[in-house]
Amino acid sequence: MIHDVRDTPPNIGGASDPLVSFDRVSMIYGAETEQAVHALKDVDLHVDEGTFVSLIGPSGCGKSTLLRVLADLIVPSSGLVQVGGHPPEAARQSREIGFVFQDPALLEWRKILQNVALPLELQGISRAQREKEARRLISLVGLDGFENVRPSQLSGGMRQRAAIARALSTSPRVMLMDEPFGALDQITRDRMNMELVGIFETTGITVLFVTHSIREAVLLSDRVVVMSPRPGRIVRIFDVDLPRPRTLASRDSDAFAELVSLGTKELEEGYGDQIR
Amino acid sequence: MAKWLGVAARSIWPPLVTAVVVVATWEAVCRLFEVPAYMIPAPSRIWMAFITNPESLLFNAGVTLFEAVTGFLIGSILGAMLGTAFAYSRLLARGMMPYIIAANTIPVVAIAPIIILWFGHGVQSKIAVTAFLSFFPLALNMMKGLQSYDRVIMDVFHVSAANEWQRFFKMRLPNALPYVFVGLKLNVTFSVIGAIVAEFVQADKGLGFVIMTTYRTLNMPRLWAAMLLSALIGIMFFALIALIERWAIPWHSSMRNDE
Ligand SMILES: Nc1ncnc2c1ncn2[C@@H]1O[C@H](COP(=O)(O)OP(=O)(O)O)[C@@H](O)[C@H]1O
Ligand SMILES: [Mg+2]
């Protein structure tokens, strides 16, 4: 199931409007300078609500830029970006976006409970209410008992769990995750993948997930977007129709192996472009 | 809460033992070799000088302490305010920093007579000298601290639609506190020096005044008593700030090894 984005724009004729849409989005860093970088060129991407989409591609192909545009952390040079029919700025202001970075970026001076409750606190939710919600999420990500511990006393995986709970606290419609497990060891990573897939399958949240691992992308996603650098663009999008709920055993099927080798080939082509 | 008090109590023992050993050796050497009192008075002579008229020395110590603490507070607060302005305006920081650094290198003994001329002969001029010295360390550290925030955390605040006040009070200020305490600890030392140097220039009370007058009459045991009192003021002031630091930023790595 491969769409070539050059002749069939994905998701055309979908039943409802996509939750996230990029239309001919380009991003040029330092446009007026000599070192102008074309980080995104004419990106078209449409993501339906409740889908898990992975972005994969070599470093510098604009994956982070794509997420940062969507979160209104940067403004694209041209093109139209929408979340739920609104520009990113409006979506951010109404707290429809959650963002998990590679670095957990917790506040060292706050206990885990207050870290997870931070976005609700910034929103002006009462202490009792936000701490109740934070406790629920801490439990959801498996950090029970660590509410009153400082981040410095947790392992990398646990800190990242807290960051995920924090991103979920405002009940966002879209979760953006930029290589969230990139710094974790393989065992922890597998466990976190299963927890994430569980959260996705039970909440129906929409996820855009950046990774360097094609296996991780196939294991988690409904669709995998393959990108290529210089200029950053989408080269292929393929669907992953493995059954849900997914488990680590999903990796043992022939369909999984096929999708991984397909994705690897696409990726290698992307790297080829880079060398040429 | 009681934990850091316990830690403080436990860490007092080793220096206390050192003090006892040093004082005993000092006393013994002075008696054994009959060292003249104007060179090095024995601890017992210093203690006598203190105990024969403790009110006078304690009053003068109180004056110096008051000048040091008040100048410390005024200088630190003004310094923190300027440092905050610098952190938010690169232009302001670029325009003023060279002069701030230049002013900071003026020796206190050179500027003290001028400040005293401006502020008159009372304690207020000593406070002004102290405030002048306490100003720069906090201005520089406040600026550095407010600028040293983590970019990813700033992104988290942005995605959470935080306003400018929330970014300041919930992120940049707490993040700056370790730097602020570096500045405050420098200021403790500077403020005691500032008060005493200002009293050297002109005063009719305070430990600096006592040191100057006893030097002229070669009343060395009393001079030593005043000198030790000034050290004691500095140590107690420093300990107070260190205690507040322990309470305010227990999360910081500089505090963690004792936890
Ligand atoms: N703030 C920036 N200023 C200038 N260039 C940038 C900036 N951020 C990213 N880039 C450049 O844009 C390109 C895409 O970056 P990025 O989106 O981070 O890629 P990825 O996340 O896929 O590795 C890279 O060449 C990178 O060097
Ligand atoms: Mg990146």
Side-chain angles (χ1 to χ4, degrees):
Chain A
M1 300 207 69
I2 306 162
H3 307 288
D4 189 337
V5 289
R6 277 160 292 204
D7 36 62
T8 33
N11 202 53
I12 291 289
S16 55
D17 285 339
L19 178 63
V20 172
S21 63
F22 290 81
D23 289 293
R24 296 188 67 79
V25 173
S26 294
M27 179 71 211
I28 303 170
Y29 289 109
E32 308 299 316
T33 69
E34 285 188 7
Q35 305 95 349
V37 178
H38 217 140
L40 291 178
K41 186 168 193 291
D42 291 335
V43 166
D44 286 304
L45 180 67
H46 301 252
V47 178
D48 285 333
E49 183 138 34
T51 0
F52 195 120
V53 175
S54 285
L55 304 171
I56 190 161
S59 300
C61 69
K63 304 179 295 293
S64 297
T65 301
L66 197 93
L67 295 195
R68 294 177 72 81
V69 163
L70 194 58
D72 189 40
L73 285 165
I74 47 174
V75 177
S77 311
S78 66
L80 184 68
V81 182
Q82 289 194 310
V83 183
H86 302 289
E89 153 96 71
R92 179 175 66 82
Q93 293 293 352
S94 51
R95 277 121 174 143
E96 288 179 6
I97 295 166
F99 208 132
V100 179
F101 301 87
Q102 177 164 7
D103 184 325
L106 301 173
L107 305 179
E108 263 186 278
W109 53 90
R110 288 181 174 228
K111 310 271 171 71
I112 292 303
L113 181 66
Q114 282 77 29
N115 260 296
V116 171
L118 175 75
L120 294 172
E121 180 180 332
L122 295 173
Q123 198 180 345
I125 306 292
S126 75
R127 174 185 290 267
Q129 229 179 317
R130 67 180 186 246
E131 292 196 346
K132 184 166 164 248
E133 178 63 5
R135 282 178 201 284
R136 187 182 73 78
L137 290 165
I138 285 171
S139 179
L140 181 73
V141 298
L143 282 181
D144 296 276
F146 293 96
E147 290 84 354
N148 292 313
V149 167
R150 288 211 175 77
S152 60
Q153 288 166 282
L154 296 187
S155 69
M158 289 161 100
R159 280 203 287 272
Q160 198 57 287
R161 283 187 181 145
I164 292 171
R166 178 180 62 190
L168 288 168
S169 67
T170 55
S171 312
R173 290 176 79 183
V174 195
M175 189 72 158
L176 308 180
M177 308 183 83
D178 196 350
E179 299 182 43
F181 308 140
L184 305 181
D185 64 83
Q186 193 54 52
I187 303 293
T188 312
R189 194 169 176 152
D190 282 350
R191 200 175 304 153
M192 301 285 288
N193 277 335
M194 283 307 103
E195 280 171 19
L196 176 62
V197 102
I199 290 169
F200 166 75
E201 284 164 3
T202 51
T203 59
I205 195 172
T206 307
V207 183
L208 268 74
F209 184 92
V210 170
T211 176
H212 276 297
S213 159
I214 183 69
R215 290 173 61 82
E216 190 175 55
V218 171
L219 177 64
L220 299 175
S221 314
D222 300 311
R223 291 166 76 204
V224 177
V225 176
V226 183
M227 296 179 69
S228 169
R230 265 169 277 265
R233 63 197 184 281
I234 296 175
V235 287
R236 284 286 194 286
I237 297 176
F238 60 90
D239 290 343
V240 177
D241 34 22
L242 300 174
R244 288 191 185 274
R246 304 263 172 91
T247 62
L248 288 177
S250 304
R251 297 184 300 195
D252 300 333
S253 70
D254 290 343
F256 180 87
E258 242 166 68
L259 285 161
V260 168
S261 73
L262 175 82
T264 307
K265 212 181 301 159
E266 299 293 349
L267 260 179
E268 278 165 359
E269 274 170 34
Y271 278 92
D273 282 6
Q274 195 177 11
I275 293 158
R276 231 175 285 145
Chain B
M1 282 298 262
K3 199 161 67 178
W4 45 265
L5 275 177
V7 169
R10 241 179 298 128
S11 59
I12 275 175
W13 279 108
L16 212 62
V17 170
T18 311
V20 168
V21 170
V22 166
V23 168
T25 316
W26 179 359
E27 183 75 37
V29 167
C30 282
R31 284 174 188 232
L32 220 61
F33 299 99
E34 291 170 1
V35 180
Y38 65 87
M39 292 300 283
I40 304 172
S44 56
R45 302 261 327 246
I46 299 171
W47 178 247
M48 284 307 290
F50 173 72
I51 212 72
T52 46
N53 191 359
E55 296 85 10
S56 158
L57 273 175
L58 286 179
F59 165 75
N60 285 296
V63 170
T64 302
L65 180 64
F66 173 74
E67 292 164 356
V69 171
T70 314
F72 168 90
L73 289 175
I74 294 174
S76 299
I77 290 170
L78 292 178
M81 283 162 57
L82 189 75
T84 306
F86 281 177
Y88 276 88
S89 168
R90 288 188 63 116
L91 190 66
L92 191 69
R94 276 216 305 266
M96 288 179 65
M97 196 55 83
Y99 305 104
I100 296 289
I101 290 166
N104 195 15
T105 60
I106 300 173
V108 59
V109 283
I111 194 104
I114 300 170
I115 296 179
I116 286 169
L117 198 75
W118 289 344
F119 285 86
H121 279 188
V123 286
Q124 70 275 13
S125 58
K126 321 305 179 288
I127 291 171
V129 172
T130 305
F132 175 82
L133 276 187
S134 300
F135 181 75
F136 306 106
L138 219 67
L140 296 178
N141 280 289
M142 189 73 177
M143 178 180 79
K144 243 197 316 186
L146 288 176
Q147 286 174 340
S148 74
Y149 61 84
D150 181 321
R151 304 288 140 170
V152 185
I153 291 181
M154 187 53 112
D155 287 346
V156 169
F157 272 68
H158 186 76
V159 172
S160 306
N163 63 36
E164 203 51 60
W165 289 109
Q166 291 173 326
R167 284 169 209 225
F168 182 77
F169 284 108
K170 294 185 194 290
M171 205 247 306
R172 292 179 75 165
L173 188 60
N175 186 67
L177 283 182
Y179 292 83
V180 168
F181 277 101
V182 169
L184 290 178
K185 283 167 157 176
L186 283 172
N187 282 352
V188 167
T189 320
F190 287 159
S191 64
V192 178
I193 293 174
I196 286 177
V197 167
E199 289 165 356
F200 280 179
V201 175
Q202 177 281 318
D204 53 10
K205 51 186 181 292
L207 289 177
F209 167 74
V210 172
I211 290 169
M212 281 317 243
T213 48
T214 51
Y215 174 67
R216 283 193 204 108
T217 59
L218 280 189
N219 183 354
M220 295 321 264
R222 189 168 154 84
L223 191 155
W224 277 69
M227 186 265 286
L228 290 175
L229 272 175
S230 73
L232 199 65
I233 287 177
I235 291 166
M236 280 176 2
F237 197 1
F238 191 90
L240 178 70
I241 298 296
L243 217 62
I244 295 174
E245 179 182 28
R246 211 170 265 283
W247 169 81
I249 53 169
W251 49 270
H252 191 246
S253 54
S254 66
M255 303 288 113
R256 219 173 279 152
N257 44 6
D258 289 329
E259 264 189 48

